[in-house]
Amino acid sequence: MHISFLIHNAYGIGGTIRTTFNLARTLAEQHDVEIVSVLRHRDAPVFDLGPRVALRHLVDIRESGPGYEGADPAHARPARVFPAAEVRYRQYSELTDRRIAQHLRRTEADVLVGTRPGLNVHIAKQARRGPVRMGQEHLTLDTHHPSLRLALRSAYPRLDAVTTVTEADARSYRRTLRLPGVRIEAVPNSVPAPGVAAADGSGKWVVAAGRLTRVKRYDVLIRAFAQVVAARPDWRLRIYGGGTEKAALRALIDELGLYNHVFLMGPANPLEPEWAKGSIAAVSSSLESFGMTIVEAMRCGLPVVATNCPHGPGEIIDDGVDGKLVPVGNPQALAGSLLTLINDDDARIRMGGAALASSARYDPAMVAGRYEALFGELLARRRGSRLHCSLHRARGALLGGAYATKDAARAALRGVRTV
């Protein structure tokens, strides 16, 4: 198969980029795979793509490069296809609309895969006849702005499939968007085996990692760790990542007198060696679309104590076997589970081994195999019945139009402008 991924900016840092690279690199062992980056802001990607995956871009915004297109007048005019309610909308323009449309008309790919809602809309509306059209959801439907959900409901009936990273989100898509004829499947993100030895459970470190944002609730983790330190002052906490909450978290650490026990380490890449130095991983989020850091820690042999928040932790962690699940926003419960593992060396080491074994299901080979099977089924359906595919496209366009008209009428009655 010729498989083409359409991504926002392959040259940045983020979970979607990392998991797309992992998947593309593995699929390229058997197939012709490319990643098409809408934007390019630096010379080389941060993550390793391997030698077999082709990478190209549509709009060059490298200010120091000879091909700089950021000053193109079309790039100053607003996008019309990319949905205005999408969080990346301000980075899109008339120029990106035009380049994406040209790419989707000319591509020879058998399978087109979008990696964020706005790009999935482009694929649904503009891809030429022939390729399988797939949209990936790397966040969750429920976290999207209502106006974006309306835009997706009108465009997604023209897709062949939508994948989510959790079963919970797949159920949400089926229940909320109602997309007859569109395959909705939950396929998790992939995490490769680390290139370091697994943790042995002897280090007296709890490790957490992720953006320092409100949703990660590191304030809850720090307050929980104050209780841990009161009972076990020989243990310490490292938090890796950067973000807007850094100053507030630093102030909380000082307020609680934890400056010798809790350390804000900043971003780290690669992170695997830092996980391996710890003995327990901690996640305090109020929301996780998947939980990449949970899987990363488990692949390094760490049991994970995590809040049982929507959507990912409960699908990844087997409570009491390879980690522990605690209520959201409860420092006492989080501290209690951390202390249970801190105070029981045998249980901590046993659960770390279980985490290492169970996380193998997220290996890129396993996840790529699921995508390969899904692509194959969709291609076989398309090649086996061109009439069926034409009818699906026509029905999708009609259904999308009907949804858009209905939603616009409802919004008008409420005095809300739809996007």
Side-chain angles (χ1 to χ4, degrees):
M1 291 181 280
H2 180 184
I3 303 162
S4 179
F5 292 89
L6 183 61
I7 196 167
H8 167 65
N9 189 338
Y11 297 83
I13 298 174
T16 298
I17 302 168
R18 184 169 49 187
T19 194
T20 301
F21 276 38
N22 289 342
L23 178 59
R25 193 168 55 238
T26 307
L27 287 169
E29 295 174 7
Q30 301 292 332
H31 304 282
D32 181 11
V33 181
E34 69 171 357
I35 292 179
V36 178
S37 180
V38 177
L39 302 175
R40 180 179 185 176
H41 75 294
R42 60 162 55 104
D43 292 339
V46 174
F47 300 119
D48 177 25
L49 197 52
R52 295 189 180 95
V53 181
L55 174 63
R56 58 191 178 93
H57 62 277
L58 302 179
V59 177
D60 192 335
I61 56 173
R62 290 175 290 173
E63 294 187 5
S64 60
Y68 177 64
E69 297 176 289
D72 189 314
H75 200 46
R77 294 190 285 269
R80 294 184 177 275
V81 180
F82 196 90
E86 232 264 34
V87 295
R88 294 289 187 181
Y89 176 71
R90 293 185 181 276
Q91 295 176 259
Y92 286 75
S93 64
E94 181 183 295
L95 179 62
T96 60
D97 273 0
R98 184 167 69 241
R99 294 286 173 80
I100 295 170
Q102 290 170 348
H103 160 62
L104 294 175
R105 284 196 302 268
R106 297 169 180 171
T107 182
E108 296 299 318
D110 299 306
V111 181
L112 290 168
V113 184
T115 56
R116 64 177 308 112
L119 299 180
N120 298 342
V121 168
H122 271 281
I123 288 174
K125 290 183 174 182
Q126 297 177 319
R128 69 173 180 83
R129 290 179 179 271
V132 166
R133 305 177 183 187
M134 177 178 290
Q136 289 181 334
E137 175 61 82
H138 287 276
L139 297 175
T140 67
L141 181 64
D142 294 343
T143 57
H144 295 322
H145 190 279
S147 294
L148 179 57
R149 292 201 294 269
L150 295 182
L152 302 186
R153 197 160 88 112
S154 67
Y156 277 18
R158 281 168 273 189
L159 295 174
D160 294 294
V162 175
T163 61
T164 64
V165 292
T166 64
E167 291 288 352
D169 198 39
R171 289 193 296 270
S172 185
Y173 263 90
R174 296 183 190 111
R175 180 179 63 251
T176 304
L177 292 194
R178 292 172 304 201
L179 303 173
V182 179
R183 183 92 168 259
I184 298 175
E185 294 284 342
V187 184
N189 289 330
S190 66
V191 176
V196 297
D200 62 10
S202 64
K204 295 182 178 181
W205 290 98
V206 175
V207 182
R211 292 287 296 168
L212 305 184
T213 57
R214 184 63 180 167
V215 73
K216 297 298 184 181
R217 295 307 307 270
Y218 286 124
D219 58 317
V220 173
L221 176 57
I222 291 168
R223 292 186 187 280
F225 208 73
Q227 299 177 42
V228 171
V229 169
R232 290 295 302 266
D234 52 332
W235 277 70
R236 287 169 174 76
L237 168 66
R238 286 174 172 155
I239 301 174
Y240 291 90
T244 57
E245 291 289 301
K246 182 177 180 178
L249 296 174
R250 168 59 61 200
L252 179 60
I253 291 167
D254 291 342
E255 175 191 333
L256 297 175
L258 296 174
Y259 34 79
N260 288 325
H261 289 87
V262 178
F263 304 92
L264 301 180
M265 305 296 293
N269 183 41
L271 193 55
E272 290 87 352
E274 310 311 318
W275 288 122
K277 294 172 186 175
S279 290
I280 304 169
V283 175
S284 50
S285 305
S286 58
L287 175 69
E288 286 283 351
S289 55
F290 173 61
M292 282 283 284
T293 57
I294 297 175
V295 181
E296 288 173 352
M298 293 172 71
R299 296 227 71 180
C300 290
L302 273 65
V304 183
V305 177
T307 47
N308 193 15
C309 64
H311 287 76
E315 294 188 15
I316 299 171
I317 296 170
D318 187 354
D319 190 23
V321 176
D322 50 26
K324 286 183 171 291
L325 296 170
V326 301
V328 175
N330 189 325
Q332 291 77 21
L334 186 54
S337 287
L338 287 171
L339 283 168
T340 296
L341 293 182
I342 286 171
N343 291 327
D344 191 336
D345 294 346
D346 290 341
R348 186 172 68 249
I349 293 170
R350 182 178 66 253
M351 292 175 72
L356 189 62
S358 67
S359 61
R361 68 188 188 274
Y362 297 102
D363 190 84
M366 302 290 287
V367 174
R370 293 180 61 177
Y371 268 108
E372 190 175 36
L374 179 57
F375 294 158
E377 290 171 15
L378 293 171
L379 275 171
R381 184 176 74 176
R382 174 172 300 284
R383 290 167 177 165
S385 177
R386 295 190 180 277
L387 176 61
H388 169 83
C389 294
S390 297
L391 290 173
H392 174 64
R393 291 276 189 257
R395 179 176 63 181
L398 290 170
L399 183 60
Y403 279 158
T405 301
K406 183 178 180 181
D407 292 335
R410 285 178 174 174
L413 289 174
R414 295 194 300 266
V416 178
R417 179 180 177 273
T418 59
V419 178

